Amino acid sequence: MRRVTALRAFIPTGDSAHRIVELGGRYAKVSLMRKTVYALVGLALVCSTLLLNSFYAPAVTAYLATSGQSPLTEQHPVHQLVANAESEFEIRRKRQSKDLAEAVKEYKKRYQTCPPPHFDKWYAFAKERETQLLDEFDGIYHSLLPFWGLEPSVIRERTRQVLGLKDIYFLGVSIRDSQLRTTGKGQGWHQVNETVYRGFQADGILEMIANFAKWLPDMDLVFNSHDEPRVLVPHEDLEILLEKARKTIRSVQPTNNGFSTSPADVGSGGSYPEVDLSHQLSWSHTRLSCPPSSPARNSTSSATDDVDAFSTRPLGFITNTTAFSDICLSPSLSSTFDRLNSYHVSLDPVPVFSPSKLSSFHDILYPSAYYYTELAHYGEETGVPWDQKYSRLYWRGSTSSGFARDGSWPNMLRQSVAIKLNPAYSTDPVHILQKTNASNHPSTASWSSQEVPATEFADRFDVQFTEIKNCEAADCNAQRKFFNVTAREPQEEAWKARYLLDMDGNAFSGRFYAFMRSHSLPLKLAYFREWHWERLRPWVHFVPISKEVREVPELIRYFEEEEEGQEIAIRLAASGHDWASKVLRKEDMEVWMFRLLLE
């Protein structure tokens, strides 16, 4: 009988990025280890062509300039990035399994093991909901992988310990005989009675699971109620777990399509040590799971970002979002993520579900209840046609990029971007691409980088703060003096702009789904990874951008002034809108969650 781990709680995952699993260490994702018999894991590492292929690894190929200011190719780099990404995305769509037999075969090929019990029920559930990319669930596999290196009893014990912690923001969800129950407060909570709390997180998770709970074993799940991730396993410890995990996975035997009976230590409904670094310098912990040879673990001040792994020169168009969001490749992020607003982390593998995480963390990703309950909503009745939108990049938000202290705010993500994109704050020249020899010698025409005054783009960027927060008094006052803080605006104001900037805050940006549906084109700056990234394709459904935003002026210029760029912008905005209606629905979140809980 196939072992189905009795752990009723999922385990933390580490987001495997561009070099993915075989890098071992930190990239691999913690697999709840279906080993944890019965409860949750059902088994089957699920995932699909690597979490990276989707958001994480946009097709890059054709265009990769390597020298600083050398002339570029005849084709604009954006044209090539989009063409490559569209071609690869179409190939992926066409190669998906057509029936259950093909899906099982593909599963065994990818994960070198058998699907979990009730995989057939999951497949029927997904088909009924017209799920796209039925084979693409590699993210789940990599998230759960490390936990296959733990004994099921250890996983269950750690779950109980976490649920026993008080006042550190965990929401517990228990399943007994298909019935769901919550413990703890969760996000957006209000008190129902003396012992029961409800809020959007609890309501969203319960609704998300309800339609397939009858196919799940009894289990206890731990959901993170902080924005920031909670589990970070040091590289050396993770290597040991992964070595054991891979052996365990390959030893799994087929089941009779059912879960084993509930272990004795699964009850009817001590504390685990955490490290609290909220508002404190946290980079030294954040990089602990990075390989010792990675740039982020280089303790010298001369360590530089491995930009060639994820961008092109000279402007830095993002070519690989997996590598870009891999913090181990970018030691410069030490000043960006040096003080997370909340930083309660465990350095041991603990089963905690979180809606987003940095690449070095090992939380288990799940579809955010914030998305599921549509707290950031887009209604077609408020939409604006593309030709009636303003030709500018729009953003409004707060200074929620961590906690500012001791003058650190200019280096924080949102503040840094707002400064660079606003001529009122920065007079540095911006860079664009110009085509040389275009009229006299078309056959030898090429794109070259040119400097122009930032004021030429003053009317192209509308990036403003509406609130100063998450800071000590001195830093708050300094920011209020520096930034022109504007009044809050209705969300519908954003739909009037053709280009919408979407940036991480304390963690993921909850407005992204609304932006995708708005018929505008999202320019996304994200280090925090989410469940949906293997469903989306950069340069097909949105435009990825860097924290330096050096390429952004040229992006807007190309999309607005070049005929080819205008066509591409319209196509990407339409593609994002249409695809979001097929893969970012409530049904899609339920399908993902069902698969995750079976695993």
Side-chain angles (χ1 to χ4, degrees):
M1 170 103 176
R2 172 172 180 168
R3 297 179 71 191
V4 239
T5 80
L7 169 95
R8 328 89 50 91
F10 276 108
I11 283 15
T13 78
D15 215 47
S16 169
H18 65 124
R19 297 177 186 159
I20 207 94
V21 168
E22 290 311 318
L23 274 193
R26 99 189 198 314
Y27 294 115
K29 278 166 176 157
V30 182
S31 162
L32 186 196
M33 160 173 207
R34 38 167 80 90
K35 193 187 179 183
T36 175
V37 89
Y38 159 10
L40 150 320
V41 216
L43 350 275
L45 342 136
V46 177
C47 278
S48 75
T49 112
L50 294 178
L51 182 43
L52 40 178
N53 269 356
S54 61
F55 158 59
Y56 296 143
V60 195
T61 319
Y63 178 74
L64 252 214
T66 55
S67 60
Q69 295 295 324
S70 59
L72 305 178
T73 61
E74 180 179 352
Q75 287 187 320
H76 194 280
V78 170
H79 171 89
Q80 293 188 276
L81 286 165
V82 171
N84 293 337
E86 290 177 335
S87 175
E88 293 188 14
F89 179 69
E90 189 59 27
I91 292 173
R92 172 182 292 188
R93 289 187 62 183
K94 290 181 177 179
R95 75 183 181 206
Q96 301 301 302
S97 298
K98 303 299 189 295
D99 55 36
L100 176 60
E102 286 189 14
V104 171
K105 182 179 180 180
E106 177 65 20
Y107 188 103
K108 293 179 178 179
K109 176 183 176 182
R110 290 188 184 214
Y111 311 125
Q112 301 297 300
T113 191
C114 303
H118 302 317
F119 185 80
D120 56 336
K121 303 299 190 298
W122 170 83
Y123 185 84
F125 186 88
K127 290 292 287 186
E128 288 172 2
R129 287 154 180 76
E130 300 182 340
T131 301
Q132 306 293 314
L133 306 179
L134 273 168
D135 294 326
E136 308 305 319
F137 291 86
D138 288 353
I140 294 175
Y141 170 81
H142 297 300
S143 289
L144 301 180
L145 181 59
F147 294 93
W148 282 81
L150 294 175
E151 291 297 322
S153 60
V154 173
I155 297 174
R156 294 192 297 273
E157 174 62 19
R158 290 183 179 180
T159 299
R160 288 192 293 271
Q161 290 173 332
V162 169
L163 290 176
L165 293 170
K166 304 298 182 184
D167 300 322
I168 60 170
Y169 301 94
F170 284 121
L171 171 70
V173 175
S174 63
I175 303 176
R176 297 293 185 276
D177 296 325
S178 303
Q179 300 301 306
L180 303 172
R181 185 178 65 183
T182 64
T183 57
K185 297 178 179 179
Q187 291 181 314
W189 65 274
H190 62 274
Q191 191 163 2
V192 177
N193 56 44
E194 185 176 343
T195 60
V196 177
Y197 299 85
R198 298 301 292 272
F200 78 82
Q201 186 181 28
D203 291 344
I205 290 171
L206 293 179
E207 183 182 345
M208 202 184 309
I209 298 175
N211 288 332
F212 55 82
K214 62 182 178 181
W215 301 115
L216 299 177
D218 290 353
M219 62 179 75
D220 294 321
L221 310 174
V222 181
F223 290 88
N224 176 18
S225 295
H226 276 312
D227 293 330
E228 299 83 353
R230 309 292 291 272
V231 183
L232 198 164
V233 182
H235 176 78
E236 293 74 12
D237 296 340
L238 189 57
E239 284 287 285
I240 296 172
L241 282 175
L242 293 176
E243 182 178 359
K244 183 177 180 181
R246 294 189 181 98
K247 294 179 180 178
T248 302
I249 286 174
R250 287 172 173 77
S251 69
V252 172
Q253 299 300 313
T255 71
N256 59 359
N257 202 27
F259 292 98
S260 56
T261 58
S262 180
D265 59 356
V266 175
S268 59
S271 70
Y272 207 74
E274 286 202 338
V275 178
D276 183 2
L277 293 175
S278 300
H279 304 176
Q280 306 299 314
L281 293 174
S282 53
W283 176 250
S284 60
H285 274 80
T286 301
R287 64 180 183 169
L288 276 179
S289 69
C290 294
S293 60
S294 65
R297 291 283 293 272
N298 188 326
S299 60
T300 68
S301 59
S302 60
T304 58
D305 295 355
D306 186 4
V307 295
D308 289 331
F310 53 77
S311 65
T312 66
R313 297 173 186 263
L315 298 190
F317 295 104
I318 299 300
T319 58
N320 187 319
T321 44
T322 303
F324 169 74
S325 61
D326 179 358
I327 70 163
C328 298
L329 297 178
S330 298
S332 69
L333 293 175
S334 61
S335 59
T336 304
F337 296 120
D338 64 341
R339 285 189 176 92
L340 298 184
N341 191 51
S342 172
Y343 202 71
H344 294 86
V345 299
S346 170
L347 300 182
D348 287 294
V350 180
V352 174
F353 290 85
S354 292
S356 69
K357 63 183 178 182
L358 295 172
S359 65
S360 59
F361 282 75
H362 303 92
D363 303 55
I364 302 168
L365 289 178
Y366 79 99
S368 171
Y370 191 93
Y371 288 135
Y372 190 84
T373 56
E374 298 184 292
L375 291 182
H377 178 68
Y378 171 78
E380 287 291 347
E381 69 280 2
T382 64
V384 179
W386 180 270
D387 58 2
Q388 296 178 27
K389 294 176 183 282
Y390 299 124
S391 302
R392 66 180 62 158
L393 178 68
Y394 177 94
W395 183 84
R396 291 292 186 276
S398 65
T399 56
S400 56
S401 294
F403 190 83
R405 169 181 286 173
D406 300 331
S408 63
W409 60 268
N411 295 321
M412 301 176 77
L413 187 65
R414 290 185 170 187
Q415 291 90 323
S416 173
V417 169
I419 292 171
K420 293 170 183 173
L421 292 181
N422 196 323
Y425 307 143
S426 174
T427 58
D428 292 341
V430 300
H431 295 79
I432 63 172
L433 298 181
Q434 292 186 340
K435 202 166 189 178
T436 60
N437 298 327
S439 57
N440 297 330
H441 303 283
S443 62
T444 61
S446 62
W447 293 90
S448 297
S449 175
Q450 306 290 332
E451 285 189 355
V452 298
T455 52
E456 290 191 13
F457 285 83
D459 61 346
R460 295 291 198 191
F461 302 136
D462 187 6
V463 177
Q464 304 291 344
F465 285 113
T466 59
E467 182 182 10
I468 304 298
K469 60 188 295 187
N470 296 359
C471 43
E472 288 192 333
D475 284 70
C476 286
N477 291 334
Q479 291 179 85
R480 291 190 183 98
K481 291 179 181 179
F482 184 86
F483 292 113
N484 177 30
V485 180
T486 63
R488 295 175 66 92
E489 296 179 342
Q491 182 67 76
E492 291 75 18
E493 285 298 307
W495 316 151
K496 299 177 182 179
R498 289 184 176 177
Y499 311 100
L500 299 179
L501 175 61
D502 192 48
M503 292 188 284
D504 289 339
N506 287 331
F508 74 99
S509 167
R511 295 178 286 187
F512 184 50
Y513 287 12
F515 284 3
M516 288 284 291
R517 296 178 173 125
S518 70
H519 299 279
S520 296
L521 178 56
L523 273 62
K524 186 160 186 63
L525 171 51
Y527 286 99
F528 284 88
R529 297 171 174 179
E530 305 178 64
W531 78 277
H532 56 237
W533 286 126
E534 59 190 330
R535 328 279 334 131
L536 305 175
R537 186 70 169 184
W539 298 111
V540 175
H541 306 124
F542 65 95
V543 175
I545 61 173
S546 71
K547 71 181 178 69
E548 304 302 331
V549 295
R550 179 184 172 94
E551 77 279 26
V552 171
E554 172 57 17
L555 281 169
I556 303 302
R557 187 207 67 79
Y558 176 69
F559 289 147
E560 287 297 314
E561 298 180 9
E562 301 287 339
E563 182 177 354
E564 174 186 83
Q566 294 169 1
E567 295 173 353
I568 288 177
I570 294 172
R571 187 166 78 244
L572 296 187
S575 177
H577 171 272
D578 294 344
W579 192 242
S581 69
K582 297 177 180 178
V583 302
L584 299 180
R585 306 165 300 162
K586 283 190 173 184
E587 295 91 332
D588 300 302
M589 297 181 229
E590 292 171 4
V591 168
W592 172 279
M593 197 67 163
F594 190 179
R595 176 80 172 251
L596 174 62
L597 295 185
L598 284 184
E599 296 291 350

